[in-house]
Amino acid sequence: MQETFKNKQKRALKIFKRLGTMYPGAKCVLIYKNVWELLVSVILSAQCTDKRVNLVTPLLFKRFKSVKDFADADLNEIEKYVRSTGFFRNKAKNIKSAAQKLLKDFKGVVPESMEKLITLPGVARKTANVILYVWYGKNEGVIVDTHVKRVTNRLGLTSEHTPEKIEKDLMKLFPREDWGKLAYYIGDHGRNICKAPTPKCPQCRLNDICPGAKKYM
């Protein structure tokens, strides 16, 4: 029998509470000193681990210290610094273009609204949600990365596969004040237990309320 929305919502809140006890220190682990460095780090983290990004950014930020430095930088030089993060040409181009747009349209300041953030090259809703929650303390949406996509599908919280549709489903299920924390709880769970391709369901403290666990128990 198909789960009602009300029951799914109750189960979602149980999941959130349990994840909170399992990963009380869950947070963004990217290393940055200001909102521009956070934005660059999030752009670099696409299809790349945060660990790898944190290895790359110290030298990158030592060489280019400001938004203007990135805007004026030689594109080939940025590429050299970010090469190991994958898709480096596109990422370098987006970072330089974002810096130029910030100077042109926003006086060099990273904006704190979804509408303005997504006008920046390389910034879609996921990146914007990170900036808004981590730096500005705003819950405008749910950060949907590969862990959130995988884990929420296994948990039966969504059956969608595009970030935009997954985000909409999760925003309906969880209170607004939980949106930011949710992604980091699920991210830690995805790295530790609900791994791809094979999750550790017998060890999982959610296995009694997770429909996906039946496949792996």
Side-chain angles (χ1 to χ4, degrees), residues 31-83:
I31 298 171
Y32 55 90
K33 295 190 186 79
N34 53 58
V35 65
W36 166 249
E37 289 188 0
L38 175 60
L39 178 58
V40 171
S41 296
V42 179
I43 290 173
L44 292 176
S45 72
Q47 296 181 309
C48 177
T49 65
D50 291 347
K51 184 177 180 181
R52 166 54 55 185
V53 173
N54 287 339
L55 291 173
V56 166
T57 51
L59 287 176
L60 178 68
F61 296 145
K62 186 177 180 181
R63 174 65 182 89
F64 306 108
K65 294 181 172 62
S66 67
V67 175
K68 190 174 188 307
D69 288 345
F70 277 94
D72 295 340
D74 180 84
L75 188 58
N76 291 328
E77 190 176 4
I78 299 177
E79 288 178 1
K80 182 182 73 174
Y81 280 94
V82 305
R83 180 181 292 270

Side-chain angles (χ1 to χ4, degrees), residues 102-211:
L102 282 178
L103 291 173
K104 179 176 178 288
D105 296 342
F106 302 109
K107 299 180 180 179
V109 179
V110 176
E112 52 181 299
S113 75
M114 176 65 71
E115 293 74 22
K116 291 177 181 178
L117 279 168
I118 60 176
T119 67
L120 299 174
V123 177
R125 280 193 64 92
K126 176 212 159 187
T127 300
N129 277 326
V130 175
I131 300 302
L132 291 169
Y133 176 68
V134 173
W135 188 262
Y136 292 115
K138 294 184 175 184
N139 281 301
E140 293 297 323
V142 178
I143 302 159
V144 179
D145 60 11
T146 54
H147 294 296
V148 172
K149 179 179 178 181
R150 179 179 73 254
V151 176
T152 56
N153 265 268
R154 285 176 176 168
L155 286 167
L157 299 177
T158 182
S159 58
E160 300 292 348
H161 297 284
T162 64
E164 295 80 9
K165 290 182 178 179
I166 292 170
E167 184 184 9
K168 284 181 181 177
D169 282 349
L170 298 178
M171 287 168 71
K172 291 174 188 173
L173 285 173
F174 294 90
R176 188 186 190 102
E177 63 266 24
D178 295 339
W179 290 350
K181 289 181 182 176
L182 178 66
Y184 292 105
Y185 286 164
I186 290 179
D188 278 6
H189 193 59
R191 281 183 285 272
N192 289 281
I193 300 293
C194 199
K195 298 184 176 187
T198 308
K200 301 177 180 178
C201 294
Q203 302 173 33
C204 182
R205 288 165 58 186
L206 301 177
N207 60 28
D208 61 316
I209 52 174
C210 174

Side-chain angles (χ1 to χ4, degrees), residues 15-28:
I15 288 168
F16 184 85
K17 286 180 181 178
R18 289 193 199 177
L19 288 173
T21 63
M22 293 161 68
Y23 310 104
K27 62 179 182 178
C28 176

